[in-house]
Structure formats: structure tokens, C-alpha cells
Amino acid sequence: MSPVLRRILSPNGRAVAFVAVALAVVGTVAAYVLGDAARYHSLHTAAPVVASVPEGRIADGPRIVFRHTGVDSKYGVVAMVALDDPGGPRAFTDLACDRLDATRTGASCLQTKRGVVTRYDLLELDRHWKVTDKIALPGLPSRTRLSPDGSLVATTTFVAGHSYMQTGFSTSTEIRHVDGTSYGDLEKFHLLIDGHDSQPADRNIWGVTFVDDRTFYATVATGGRTYLVRGDLPSRTLRTLRTNAECPSVSPDGTRIAYKVRAPGSGLPHWSIGVLDLVTNHEQVLRRETASVDDQVEWLDDDTLLYGLAREHEAGVTDVWRIDARANARPHLLIEQAWSPAVVRR
Amino acid sequence: MAPIVVTLGMVSLLTDVSSESVAAILPLYLTATVGLSTVAYGFVDGIYQGVSSLVRVVGGFAADRGGHPKWVALAGYLISCVSRFVLLLATGLGAISAVIAADRIGKGLRTAPRDAMIAAASPPEQLGRAFGVHRTLDTIGAVLGPLVAFSLLWWIPDGFHAVLLVSFAFAVLGVALLGLLVSDRETRVRAHATHEPFHWRALTDPRLTRLLVVAGGLALLTVGDGFVYLALLDRGGFATHWFPLMYVGTNIAYLALAVPLGRLADRVGRARVVVGGHVALAAAYLVVAGPMTSTTSTLAALALLGTFYAATDGVVAALAGGIVDPAVRASGIAAAQSTVAVARMASSAGFGILWFALGPATALVVVATVLGAALPAAHLALRGLDRPVLTGATP
């Protein structure tokens, strides 16, 4: 063994080597983190690249409300565009939300407050974007929907527990009266699978969409399958209608439901949009959108759907797309730098 | 206390800061930045289950067979370290799943050889204390990890890559510490002193079998922590946003008690402390199920859970390490740890059903009752396992 090698391999030599490694690693990482902090603070003080207008210009008319996802000083802030000019200038509110829904009378907003203890809240807002109630949520925001008259709010959060090694994932979906009482977790409702009373232990429920203040649709997962269910609030009952349908969204006229359809095969989920005609029970799958649509779609009108897609290679940036609710329809970009669209018709 | 135990503890501390900082931000990272849904996250989460306990047996076997536990442990730490780096580059769900699986494989591989090294470096009568010291340092890392991650995110709200890089840096420091400052020679002295090569027969020691049966049986009556926290939440023991802190609370109790209970185990018998730990566990279930749900009962439940882990996690490893012949120590420890892990997974599935059938409170009372009834039998079966066999096995 050469003297140099022997010295490196001696206890002292190895201690010196460890200190050298430690200094190199700490130095490199400190430089990166400081650079990253500088990058963040310069990006997030920049003005949005999209055109904007004062809130009053859009706030009272027919509009699409959404989460702005441009990496700028308004990142994550709720914005809105006029329904007849979705690609046009947007008006920003003062509120930041991860997920939101809005009606004529108010809005619901799921918020993440990051910190050493990260908090998740449901904010209920009136039509002037004033907070009327704030409810702590048990986990990461996933979906929220208001009933058409704005009197009920549904939230789905995703309770990941405390550590990725020790618990599985589960969702928690709740319906409550705005400013009032809660129906509790939908997992405690009666579940009828194909008409049979069934209370499986592994059920998970998510993605509520309201028909009115009594009837709603949602997804129930159990035994490795997902079901479209129709829920009845007064009797606290969920009945399955069909399998392989997630995150339903009922059309404004109540005749059709759009939802996510999972492509067969295990491994990576790939979702397409399916549209079910409730009268004929006929399903069309919108195959010309080839991206995996992992969103609860929103109806722009009785024939058109909206949904968000993440931009590839631009972390955190998403766009809202539009597609006709027909099997061979093609998708079109509707609102850039946007997420979680909610259509407020008049 | 052998310096190597503290060094191995520091390696675990650095590695745990690394893995727990990523664990803490992973749900946020996957949903907020990578753009996966809750269901896709569930798919990733499912990968964690079970992978580690299967590989653990392989790690123990490789360490015993080759007689170089350090190199097997180093390989495990290295795999996890490299997976941290790849996670920086991974963007799709498939890539992220693969990286996380690799991390778990690394964890499975390193655990048993590392525990065998602790056992080899410590005098038999101080095994409990040595494992207590190691687990304390390990848990300090687990508590620091999320704090490091969330402090960084608080400073740089979209700084997920900064968190991943910092996590990678901690992993590198852990690997460098083990690779450079723990000598292979020191850790295999005892195994070689016996001049007994690895042999499967040494693993069929009836005392080890008895330990596996009892530890596995008790693990079947152990409810996952997640369920306990959810039961507390369900019964209104605390506000929902405190939920992530439940784990920290349990860890703090663990941290405070791992060394004292390890020393107690050395003095009064490891088997006795393991049984006592399960008494604390049954008490925790009863507190959660009891009529009082308040901050006090929540804290009491967390303290009891922490006591349970402090009285069992390192102590079972010390018990297994003390029973088997040094030549098969890593395999023996791995067998005990895997049995417990697999039995706990099965018990979680079973408890899920019980929860929905009876409701959380009744289900916990049922488990606590059965556990209470099983403990005298466990005590009888484990009695006598503490007699150090190390001297007897050495010619």
C-alpha cells in the first residue's frame, strides 16, 4: 500500500476526509438554497404577464372564477374573467385558494396555510369575497362544490396522516350548510352497492356535485373499484349507478354527468372524460383529449366542459381547457395560467 | 458505551432528517407541484407498505453470510441517498414511485445489519441501553426532518427542490459518516471470534422461535398509530389542524424514554420491559376510548404510545440480538423486525374492519381487552429468554 493511500485510510485521514465532504456538501447546498430564495422572491414580486382589469369590471356580470397560476406576485390568487371573453383580461381578488367554487351568492375556498404546522381551512365567502366562516379541514384540499343556490358546500380533503410510512391514504368528504350544521363525513352515510346494503371498511368518497339541496352525485371507491353514486341528503343514503366513474359533475340542466374514466391496466392512472346521458344511460368517452385529466370537470354550459391541466416542465403552472361534451370533440385552450374554474352564470 | 453506537446513531439521525423531511412534504409536493391527484398519491403511498420488511430479511442474511454488516448497511444507506438525488430529477408518477420504492429497499437493507453492529459493539448486559441511545438519536432526526422541511417552505413557498436538495445533503452526510468513520473491522470482531461460520441451523434456536411467535402475536394486537390519531380526532380530542403534530408528540415521548427504558431493560429483563410496553399500549387504547376526551387525554394517549415504542422497538432488537448466536445476529434481528412489521400490517387491515363494524371506541376497547388477556401468556412465554446465551455459544 502506498504511503499516501495508507494515510488517507488511517483514522485521522478518514476524519479529515469526512470534514472535507461535510464542508463541500453544506457549502453547495447553502449556495443553492440562497439562490433559490432570491429566485423565489424576485419571481413572486413580478407583475402578472396577463392583462388585468379592476375587479368591479367583471365581478357582477356572468363570469368564470378561477385560481391564477402564473408564477408572479398573484400566484394562487383568485381571479375572474368575463364569461363572454375568457381569454381576455382578468380581475384579481385579494384571496388565495388552492381549490374554489363560486355561485351568484358566494364562494367556497380551500386554503393551505403553510408553516411548521401546516393548516388547511375551508373559507366560506359572501358575494363580495368577505369571509363569513372559516372551518379547519383535516388534510390537503382536493375538491369543493357549492349547491346551485349556494346553500350547501361539499369539501373533499385528503388525509395523508402524519408520515408516509405509517398510514395509508384516505379521503374525507363532508357536506355542510353554509354558515351552519354539517351532515358529517359521507363515509357514515348508508351505502347501497347495486341495491344491496353494504358497509365496506375500505370505502373512500370524493368529488361531490350537487343537483339541488337534496340530491347530489359523488364517487365511492371500495375493493379496488370506483362507483358513481347518487346521494340523498334527507335519508343520508348513497346508491351506486355504475363503475369506473370518478369526480362527477352534473350539467346545469341536470340531464348529463361528466366524470373521469380510468383507462384499464394497473400502474399509472390515465383518466379520460366520460359523459353520461342520464335519460338514455349512454356513456361517451372524449378520447381526443389525450392528456390524463385529473380534475373534477366544470360545465361551461349544457354542451361544454372545462378542466385544468398542468403544464409540462413548468412546475405549478396550469391552464384551463374547454371541450365539447361529444365523443369526437377536440380540446381548446380557454384560460391560460388558471386552475379550478367555477362558472357563474346569471 | 461504545463510540460506534453513537456514530451509528448520528448516521441514523442524519438519514432520518433526510427521509422525514421528504416524507413531510411529499403529499404537498406531489399534489401542488407535480400535479397528481389524491388517488395517484394513494398509489405512491401503497408502495411503502411491505417493501421494507421483505428486504430487511435479505439485508440480515447478507450481513451474516458475508460477515461484513458495515458494507451491507452502507449499501442500504447509499441506495436511499442516490434515490434522494434521483427524486430531484423525477417528474412523473412512475419515476417518483420507482424512486420511493428504491428508498424503502435501502431502508430495509440497512436496518438489520446496523442493529447487528450495535449488538456486536456492546457488552451483552448493556444492549438495551445501547439500542436506547441509538433510537433516541434516530428519533431526534425524525423530529428535526419535518421542521427543516417546513421552515424551508415557509421561507421559499415553492422551494420543494430546495427541500429535496437539503434532504439529499443530509443523506450524503450520513453515508459519509458511516463510510469514513465506522470501521468494518470493529463491527465483525465478535462474529469472527466465535469461529462459527454462518449456518441456517443457528437460526432455528427455539428461543428465537418463541420470541418470533410472541412478538408476532402481540403485533397482531397492535393498532396502527394512524388509527389511534384518527380515533382521537373522531372523538373530538383535538382540532383537526393539530393532526400532523400527533406523530411529533409520540416521538417526543419516545425520545425522552428510549434510554431510561433501555437501561431498565438491561437491569430488570428485556422481556419484562417489552410486556410492560404493551401494558402502556393497552392503556393508550383505553384512554382514547374512555369517556374523557380532552387535551389531557390526548397528551396522555401520545405519552403512552411513545412509552410503548420506547419499551419495544429497540428492546425487541436487543432481545433478538442477545438470544441468537453472533454469527447469525443480523438475520435474527431481521426476522424479529420483519415478523413484527408484517403482523402489524395484517392487524391494521383487520382493525379497519373492526372500526367500521363497532366504531372506533368499542373497537379499541376490544383490542385493549384481548391484548390485556394475552399479556400474562406473553410474559410466561418470554420469561427466560433474557439469559445471555452469548457466553454459552462461544467455545
Side-chain angles (χ1 to χ4, degrees):
Chain A
M1 199 185 285
S2 78
V4 177
L5 195 59
R6 194 175 306 152
R7 186 175 301 167
I8 290 172
L9 289 176
S10 73
N12 277 340
R14 288 186 297 168
V16 170
F18 175 73
V19 171
V21 169
L23 288 177
V25 165
V26 171
T28 311
V29 170
Y32 176 85
V33 170
L34 287 171
D36 199 42
R39 170 204 58 83
Y40 177 84
H41 292 284
S42 69
L43 265 183
H44 286 264
T45 46
V49 293
V50 291
S52 67
V53 289
E55 196 183 325
R57 294 264 297 275
I58 292 171
D60 294 323
R63 58 199 181 271
I64 304 173
V65 185
F66 56 91
R67 175 184 201 246
H68 173 75
T69 61
V71 179
D72 50 48
S73 62
K74 299 288 187 189
Y75 185 80
V77 167
V78 175
M80 54 192 103
V81 292
L83 192 56
D84 55 13
D85 186 18
R90 62 191 64 182
F92 291 100
T93 67
D94 298 326
L95 187 76
C97 302
D98 293 349
R99 280 276 174 184
L100 65 109
D101 194 20
T103 63
R104 228 163 14 87
T105 56
S108 69
C109 160
L110 305 189
Q111 226 178 27
T112 302
K113 277 258 154 60
R114 283 182 200 167
V116 172
V117 183
T118 300
R119 295 186 53 156
Y120 310 100
D121 291 311
L122 159 65
L123 302 184
E124 291 172 0
L125 304 132
D126 66 14
R127 52 192 298 269
H128 306 293
W129 297 98
K130 271 230 176 63
V131 177
T132 54
D133 204 356
K134 179 170 154 179
I135 300 99
L137 296 172
L140 274 173
S142 173
R143 315 283 181 213
T144 183
R145 282 291 186 271
L146 291 159
S147 60
D149 67 0
S151 66
L152 292 171
V153 59
T155 56
T156 297
T157 58
F158 149 41
V159 185
H162 48 279
S163 158
Y164 69 77
M165 284 166 285
Q166 297 184 26
T167 54
F169 111 103
S170 77
T171 56
S172 166
T173 294
E174 196 176 321
I175 294 178
R176 39 177 284 131
H177 286 287
V178 169
D179 275 333
T181 52
S182 171
Y183 285 94
D185 197 315
L186 294 192
E187 281 180 23
K188 294 188 177 153
F189 278 33
H190 303 291
L191 174 63
L192 295 153
I193 296 180
D194 301 330
H196 301 292
D197 208 356
S198 173
Q199 308 302 324
D202 66 340
R203 83 193 103 161
N204 265 308
I205 298 169
W206 63 84
V208 167
T209 180
F210 291 100
V211 177
D212 49 38
D213 288 346
R214 180 189 171 102
T215 307
F216 63 93
Y217 294 91
T219 302
V220 173
T222 174
R225 289 174 170 202
T226 60
Y227 297 89
L228 174 67
V229 295
R230 180 162 45 222
D232 182 64
L233 277 174
S235 66
R236 298 171 63 87
T237 305
L238 306 169
R239 283 169 202 277
T240 61
L241 300 181
R242 62 189 297 124
T243 57
N244 195 13
E246 299 175 45
C247 291
S249 180
V250 65
S251 64
D253 62 10
T255 61
R256 293 200 279 180
I257 300 180
Y259 44 73
K260 297 187 329 194
V261 178
R262 187 170 170 161
S266 60
L268 306 186
H270 182 100
W271 287 285
S272 303
I273 301 171
V275 179
L276 178 72
D277 189 315
L278 286 169
V279 181
T280 62
N281 203 29
H282 175 69
E283 179 191 77
Q284 299 185 79
V285 178
L286 280 47
R287 301 244 177 250
R288 292 182 87 165
E289 172 55 273
T290 53
S292 182
V293 178
D294 188 358
D295 193 11
Q296 184 170 18
V297 299
E298 167 81 346
W299 291 81
L300 179 65
D301 51 47
D302 287 326
D303 303 305
T304 318
L305 301 168
L306 303 182
Y307 53 93
L309 282 182
R311 273 192 206 172
E312 241 171 282
H313 311 302
E314 276 186 76
V317 183
T318 54
D319 300 301
V320 167
W321 293 71
R322 152 182 89 74
I323 192 166
D324 288 349
R326 286 183 288 108
N328 59 353
R330 285 171 180 281
H332 298 277
L333 179 66
L334 187 72
I335 312 173
E336 62 170 332
Q337 299 185 349
W339 182 244
S340 196
V343 179
V344 184
R345 299 169 202 92
R346 261 276 160 177
Chain B
M1 176 68 43
I4 191 176
V5 173
V6 178
T7 312
L8 287 174
M10 289 306 297
V11 172
S12 291
L13 188 155
L14 292 166
T15 308
D16 256 33
V17 170
S18 173
S19 58
E20 292 301 321
S21 58
V22 169
I25 63 150
L26 202 62
L28 263 179
Y29 176 63
L30 292 183
T31 51
T33 303
V34 183
L36 300 180
S37 74
T38 60
V39 180
Y41 175 72
F43 175 78
V44 175
D45 198 60
I47 292 168
Y48 299 122
Q49 321 293 337
V51 173
S52 180
S53 53
L54 287 177
V55 182
R56 199 173 291 204
V57 183
V58 178
F61 175 69
D64 288 335
R65 194 69 200 251
H68 296 277
K70 178 193 160 174
W71 299 122
V72 179
L74 188 67
Y77 281 106
L78 205 58
I79 289 172
S80 294
C81 177
V82 171
S83 81
R84 293 270 168 277
F85 184 75
V86 182
L87 191 56
L88 273 165
L89 313 172
T91 47
L93 177 61
I96 287 170
S97 307
V99 168
I100 284 159
D103 172 52
R104 295 293 92 192
I105 287 168
K107 182 177 172 62
L109 207 54
R110 72 190 176 235
T111 306
R114 182 204 59 213
D115 282 353
M117 286 158 81
I118 296 171
S122 311
E125 67 281 3
Q126 286 184 11
L127 267 187
R129 176 163 166 250
F131 277 106
V133 168
H134 174 267
R135 296 300 197 262
T136 303
L137 289 167
D138 183 86
T139 309
I140 289 174
V143 172
L144 286 180
L147 292 179
V148 167
F150 285 117
S151 308
L152 267 172
L153 282 190
W154 178 71
W155 184 29
I156 313 171
D158 69 348
F160 290 106
H161 281 105
V163 176
L164 295 183
L165 191 71
V166 167
S167 160
F168 172 62
F170 275 102
V172 170
L173 292 179
V175 168
L177 189 57
L178 176 65
L180 293 169
L181 296 188
V182 174
S183 88
D184 180 46
R185 206 177 314 141
E186 224 180 307
T187 61
R188 60 191 164 102
V189 163
R190 200 175 286 273
H192 276 238
T194 64
H195 295 294
E196 272 185 45
F198 176 85
H199 205 285
W200 285 110
R201 202 176 36 216
L203 264 179
T204 56
D205 187 319
R207 280 167 305 206
L208 180 66
T209 313
R210 212 188 319 160
L211 175 66
L212 295 186
V213 169
V214 175
L218 289 178
L220 279 177
L221 298 171
T222 303
V223 172
D225 297 2
F227 281 116
V228 176
Y229 305 151
L230 283 174
L232 277 168
L233 185 63
D234 190 76
R235 294 177 57 77
F238 57 94
T240 47
H241 61 266
W242 293 109
F243 193 85
L245 277 196
M246 297 293 109
Y247 178 53
V248 177
T250 305
N251 266 343
I252 288 170
Y254 182 4
L255 205 60
L257 294 171
V259 174
L261 287 179
R263 296 181 81 145
L264 186 71
D266 290 334
R267 210 167 318 136
V268 305
R270 285 164 206 142
R272 221 177 263 182
V273 169
V274 168
V275 172
H278 284 85
V279 173
L281 184 66
Y285 297 160
L286 291 178
V287 167
V288 176
M292 297 269 289
T293 45
S294 59
T295 313
T296 321
S297 61
T298 301
L299 292 178
L302 300 187
L304 286 165
L305 267 187
T307 309
F308 162 69
Y309 283 111
T312 52
D313 186 20
V315 182
V316 168
L319 200 52
I323 285 174
V324 296
D325 188 282
V328 293
R329 188 145 39 197
S331 304
I333 293 175
Q337 291 173 335
S338 295
T339 306
V340 169
V342 170
R344 281 196 187 151
M345 274 166 58
S347 115
S348 277
F351 187 76
I353 295 166
L354 209 58
W355 172 299
F356 281 101
L358 304 175
T362 316
L364 281 172
V365 171
V366 168
V367 175
T369 310
V370 179
L371 185 58
L375 281 179
H379 179 66
L380 279 177
L382 288 180
R383 219 172 42 175
L385 287 187
D386 277 332
R387 300 268 162 270
V389 292
L390 290 165
T391 47
T394 313

